[in-house]
Amino acid sequence: PRLRHLFYQFARYVMLKDLEANSVGFDIPFAEAVEARPEDVHMAKARRRVAYNKLLQIFQKEEFVRQEHEQKAQ
């Protein structure tokens, strides 16, 4: 668990630095938005669940299409 947490912290740090570098000159403060803590934790968890499920559906659909293309190619 400690190693996983260390990797998470490192990945978050790298992501924030990348966002800071790429958001220079824009009016949208991406890095500040990432650092912000939600006021309603339950709502934030629900939104994360919805986004995760949507991403999972996209991956499943892509895999299905890839398998169909493989079958048709044979």
Side-chain angles (χ1 to χ4, degrees), residues 29-70:
F30 292 109
E32 287 82 1
V34 171
E35 285 291 326
R37 297 282 184 229
E39 292 179 17
D40 185 4
V41 177
H42 298 293
M43 185 59 75
K45 286 182 180 180
R47 285 186 184 132
R48 186 198 66 81
R49 256 191 323 270
V50 168
Y52 176 79
N53 288 337
K54 183 67 175 171
L55 183 63
L56 184 61
Q57 288 174 356
I58 290 169
F59 286 153
Q60 288 173 339
K61 186 174 183 179
E62 286 179 355
E63 181 64 18
F64 177 75
V65 169
R66 187 190 64 77
Q67 287 177 358
E68 278 192 351
H69 284 296
E70 272 186 14

Side-chain angles (χ1 to χ4, degrees), residues 20-32:
E20 287 174 5
N22 291 329
S23 65
V24 173
F26 292 100
D27 292 336
I28 303 169
F30 292 109
E32 287 82 1

Side-chain angles (χ1 to χ4, degrees), residues 8-20 23 28-38 44:
Y8 168 76
Q9 290 295 330
F10 178 69
R12 188 165 190 251
Y13 173 79
V14 170
M15 181 189 70
L16 284 174
K17 290 301 176 187
D18 184 54
L19 284 173
E20 287 174 5
S23 65
I28 303 169
F30 292 109
E32 287 82 1
V34 171
E35 285 291 326
R37 297 282 184 229

